[in-house]
Amino acid sequence: MGRKSALASWLHELDAAEIRAILALRKDAADAHPHSLHGLAEELSAPSSVRLAVDGLDRACRDVLDAVLLLGADASPETVAERLRCHGKATRAELKRTLARLRAHALVWPAGGRLCAAAGLRPSDGDPPRRITPAPRAPRRVAQRRDYADRAAIAPATSTVDGVTRLVELCDNDVITARGGVGVRELRRLAGVLRTDEPRARLWLELAVEARLLAVADDDRRVLPTTGSDDWLGASPADRLAALATAWPRMAWPPARHRAALTAHPADRGDAARAGLLARYAALADDEAFEHRHEVVADLVWSRPAVHDASGAEAALMEAEAVGLVALGALTALGRAALDGDARAVAGAFVPTAADRAHLTPDLTAVVEGLPSRALGAALDLAADPAEGGWRFSATSVRRALDAGHTPEQVLARLAEVAERGVPRALAELVHEVARRHGRLSVTAVACCVRADDPRLLTEIVRHRSLARLRLQPLGPTVLASARPADETLALLREAGYAPTAATVDGGAAVPRVSRRRVEPVRKVPAWRPWRPSLTEQEVAKLAVALVERGRPRPRSVAPRAESRRMSAVRLLRDQSLVLRDSEVVLLAEALVTRTSVEIDVADGPRTTIRHVITPVDHESGSLTANDPLGRSREFLVCHIRSVRAVAT
């Protein structure tokens, strides 16, 4: 007997209450509306249904299930207890609990002293279990005001919004490729540019992709901003945070550290792990918090080992804290709103409003209180580099603005527009000094030439030791020939402290720019959903009763009961007579079933009737066969009977 047949045979032994309990735990099978217990066995044995049921088991149940599968035909409660060393009272009780849970899920059931397992099950990877893994200590809870967690989440949430904003703008100006995912080396480079660590850079990148702000181009596999990223960048910080908080639970990438970014497999359960983490914290009361995070991680790993592992749960918790969903061991208001799908309603309390002014200090730094607006960020990025705590101006950053074609007056005017207290004198002197040296050298890609108006400057460059690799040769008083390409010559000259500019053959400025493109965000295939809504508890109970009733054996021939004959006669007589009252129809049907006498009036013309006392014996094709008091058989059309009365005694 196959496993499906064995499951169907076992289901036939259960009563309606037990079938109802199985349907309540295996809702996917109930929602398929099986029409029989054999059909229910088919639904319970479907690979997707079995996988869903196993995913909900705790570590102890998985241990017992693995033991049953490994023992095979020898599996029984005694052999499983012996294999898992269940010799004590506590371990025996745990074995009893796990077997009852597996039975309730229709994954393992008893059959003649043995234990049968559902079809399609395979033991877990790794070493076979030697004992039942005990449950860890329940995470300890402490009293804590809810607003404490909300206030503690402001700083990390603000940092995440700022980091994702800078990442999207960076992908618009830099080339980031994702061939087989964004590799670890590229992630480290991004982390250096964004002034963060590698795990946080990975989180920002994958969060931006899930929020449909970045996507990978199909042709060159470059990570580019999407068509909707401009609206997100121009939105308020609260709206930007709401989009990120809503996207985080949907991320399917596994929450682990040492891996390439944007690499996902259809079997990845990152979304289930993140949603399970939020659900675990949502079980806390408003004035409670978990005392130790490692206890929460251990509880998640034991309760759902198919979804959570130790490193993944820890990484998911760090991500939730970075987005502002969890803080100080409790779920924040933003986290609860994200679970309810209404993060925008509370996101404004977790990020400051956008600032449009910056404080430019004499030490060549710029400080912004809160998140900069898009216009302020563009103005600072023009002539400054991001640094810890704000922006920093340097000769290199100012030269970048001049390379882009801006004059020193334009740079200072742009900074004056966003400066809260004006442009400090030290910054203005830096801009003018860089502008004075800017353009004294120019590099033309002829293969390649270095030109200058001052011959003495070219002589100085030829003698510079760090530029020996260029093998510069004079072609004239103001022209040198370089053995290296133009881009490498530019880089070496700038490393040596000079400020050359790239130029075309006709002498015009050649500013290297990364082409800016927009791509459509990835369209996620919606998860399959049944066309019918899920069954309610009452509907599940009715389905269980119906399945048990249909599965009961019935005799081949059953004599019709008098009540059934009476009701059948009532229905037929009512359909065939339009003048008899319901009470008369019932009286005539009773006489037909019990062979008793009644008095009837039968039409004999348009306005006359004839009274008869009869004993009905048969009814067929609209005719009533009856015996008169003398025993003679007569037939009457039911449609001609005008009244029916009991015989007076």
Side-chain angles (χ1 to χ4, degrees):
M1 181 184 295
R3 292 188 181 183
K4 292 183 181 179
S5 300
L7 176 58
S9 299
W10 175 65
L11 292 176
H12 278 85
E13 300 174 3
L14 305 181
D15 56 21
E18 293 172 315
I19 295 293
R20 177 183 179 182
I22 293 175
L23 293 175
L25 292 175
R26 304 284 295 273
K27 290 298 296 295
D28 58 308
D31 294 340
H33 296 264
H35 296 288
S36 64
L37 291 177
H38 283 280
L40 177 60
E42 291 286 343
E43 297 296 337
L44 293 174
S45 301
S48 58
S49 179
V50 172
R51 182 170 58 251
L52 188 62
V54 173
D55 285 351
L57 299 179
D58 56 43
R59 181 72 266 172
C61 290
R62 291 295 300 271
D63 293 337
V64 175
L65 178 60
D66 289 346
V68 172
L69 295 175
L70 292 172
L71 288 170
D74 297 330
S76 66
E78 293 73 20
T79 57
V80 172
E82 184 65 26
R83 184 181 184 89
L84 297 178
R85 304 175 184 177
C86 299
H87 304 305
K89 183 177 181 180
T91 54
R92 284 279 183 176
E94 182 66 0
L95 176 60
K96 183 179 179 180
R97 181 194 72 84
T98 54
L99 287 176
R101 184 170 175 81
L102 293 173
R103 180 182 183 275
H105 282 81
L107 295 174
V108 174
W109 61 90
R114 295 177 51 252
L115 293 175
C116 293
L121 290 173
R122 297 292 183 272
S124 303
D125 297 333
D127 297 332
R130 297 184 178 181
R131 64 187 183 92
I132 298 179
T133 304
R137 177 176 182 174
R140 285 167 285 184
R141 307 183 181 191
V142 294
Q144 177 179 277
R145 289 181 53 180
R146 181 174 177 177
D147 56 345
Y148 286 178
D150 293 347
R151 288 201 298 267
I154 293 177
T158 303
S159 175
T160 298
V161 174
D162 178 58
V164 175
T165 301
R166 290 187 285 113
L167 173 62
V168 174
E169 293 174 343
L170 176 65
C171 292
D172 200 13
N173 298 280
D174 199 351
V175 178
I176 301 171
T177 56
R179 293 184 177 88
V182 180
V184 176
R185 180 177 299 178
E186 183 70 1
L187 281 174
R188 290 172 180 171
R189 184 182 73 84
L190 286 178
V193 175
L194 298 173
R195 312 183 315 277
T196 186
D197 53 15
E198 179 189 333
R200 204 172 299 271
R202 178 184 291 106
L203 170 63
W204 293 349
L205 181 59
E206 295 179 343
L207 196 58
V209 172
E210 186 62 41
R212 301 168 67 86
L213 306 175
L214 295 176
V216 180
D218 294 332
D219 51 358
D220 56 358
R221 307 301 299 171
R222 177 181 165 188
V223 181
L224 292 169
T226 64
T227 53
S229 61
D230 293 321
D231 293 337
W232 184 83
L233 291 172
S236 65
D239 290 341
R240 281 182 276 169
L241 176 60
L244 300 180
T246 304
W248 183 80
R250 302 195 308 262
M251 290 169 55
W253 292 283
R257 294 188 176 185
H258 301 291
R259 60 179 177 83
L262 305 185
T263 54
H265 188 270
D268 287 339
R269 301 294 304 277
D271 52 347
R274 292 177 175 89
L277 174 70
L278 291 184
R280 188 68 183 89
Y281 277 88
L284 289 168
D286 290 344
D287 57 348
E288 286 184 337
F290 287 124
E291 186 175 6
H292 302 291
R293 61 188 298 139
H294 69 273
E295 294 180 348
V296 180
V297 171
D299 180 71
L300 287 172
V301 173
W302 186 86
S303 59
R304 293 193 68 185
V307 176
H308 301 283
D309 59 86
S311 60
E314 181 66 31
L317 182 54
M318 294 176 62
E319 291 178 1
E321 292 173 340
V323 183
L325 307 177
V326 175
L328 300 181
L331 198 66
T332 64
L334 181 64
R336 296 182 185 275
L339 281 175
D340 298 335
D342 191 21
R344 182 171 296 182
V346 300
F350 289 83
V351 285
T353 57
D356 55 2
R357 290 289 185 272
H359 177 50
L360 306 182
T361 62
D363 61 351
L364 303 180
T365 60
V367 180
V368 179
E369 294 184 2
L371 291 174
S373 64
R374 193 172 185 183
L376 176 58
L380 294 177
D381 289 337
L382 175 65
D385 292 322
E388 186 175 357
W391 281 259
R392 177 169 292 280
F393 296 92
S394 63
T396 303
S397 63
V398 173
R399 184 178 65 240
R400 183 177 65 244
L402 300 179
D403 287 345
H406 298 281
T407 64
E409 291 75 17
Q410 291 174 337
V411 173
L412 292 175
R414 183 78 177 276
L415 294 176
E417 292 176 357
V418 299
E420 188 176 26
R421 302 176 185 175
V423 179
R425 181 178 178 181
L427 178 56
E429 291 177 351
L430 174 64
V431 173
H432 286 297
E433 175 62 22
V434 174
R436 184 182 65 82
R437 302 177 57 192
H438 186 264
R440 294 178 65 189
L441 288 178
S442 63
V443 175
T444 303
V446 181
C448 86
C449 293
V450 180
R451 299 183 299 179
D453 296 333
D454 188 356
R456 291 175 298 179
L457 179 59
L458 293 183
T459 302
E460 177 185 338
I461 292 174
V462 171
R463 297 175 179 176
H464 205 292
R465 293 183 178 179
S466 63
L467 299 177
R469 287 180 293 174
L470 297 179
R471 290 182 289 177
L472 298 172
Q473 298 293 330
L475 299 180
T478 60
V479 181
L480 294 176
S482 173
R484 298 290 182 177
D487 53 353
E488 186 176 348
T489 302
L490 277 169
L492 290 175
L493 285 172
R494 286 171 178 171
E495 289 179 5
Y498 298 97
T501 59
T504 60
V505 177
D506 58 2
V511 180
R513 297 179 183 272
V514 177
S515 59
R516 296 191 174 185
R517 297 159 50 192
R518 294 291 183 270
V519 295
E520 291 294 331
V522 178
R523 292 184 177 273
K524 299 193 68 174
V525 179
W528 179 87
R529 293 183 178 180
W531 62 272
R532 287 179 290 197
S534 182
L535 297 180
T536 62
E537 294 184 4
Q538 293 79 8
E539 291 172 336
V540 169
K542 292 181 179 179
L543 177 60
V545 173
L547 291 176
V548 171
E549 289 293 331
R550 295 170 191 164
R552 287 178 177 174
R554 299 183 181 275
R556 294 183 179 180
S557 60
V558 179
R561 295 178 299 177
E563 184 65 26
S564 299
R565 293 178 57 200
R566 184 181 294 106
M567 295 305 298
S568 298
V570 168
R571 285 194 296 268
L572 290 175
L573 293 172
R574 182 182 291 116
D575 293 339
Q576 296 167 3
S577 177
L578 302 178
V579 297
L580 294 179
R581 298 189 298 271
D582 288 345
S583 59
E584 293 175 320
V585 171
V586 172
L587 181 60
L588 184 58
E590 180 71 22
L592 179 62
V593 172
T594 60
R595 300 292 193 273
T596 56
S597 299
V598 292
E599 188 178 78
I600 62 174
D601 290 336
V602 181
D604 185 30
R607 299 182 180 178
T608 60
T609 59
I610 299 177
R611 183 167 298 175
H612 299 274
V613 176
I614 62 171
T615 302
V617 295
D618 195 10
H619 173 234
E620 185 178 0
S621 301
S623 296
L624 184 69
T625 303
N627 296 330
D628 62 9
L630 299 178
R632 293 173 297 184
S633 177
R634 302 190 60 178
E635 288 189 1
F636 302 93
L637 292 176
V638 177
C639 60
H640 288 175
I641 300 176
R642 295 293 180 258
S643 65
V644 180
R645 293 178 300 278
V647 177
T649 56

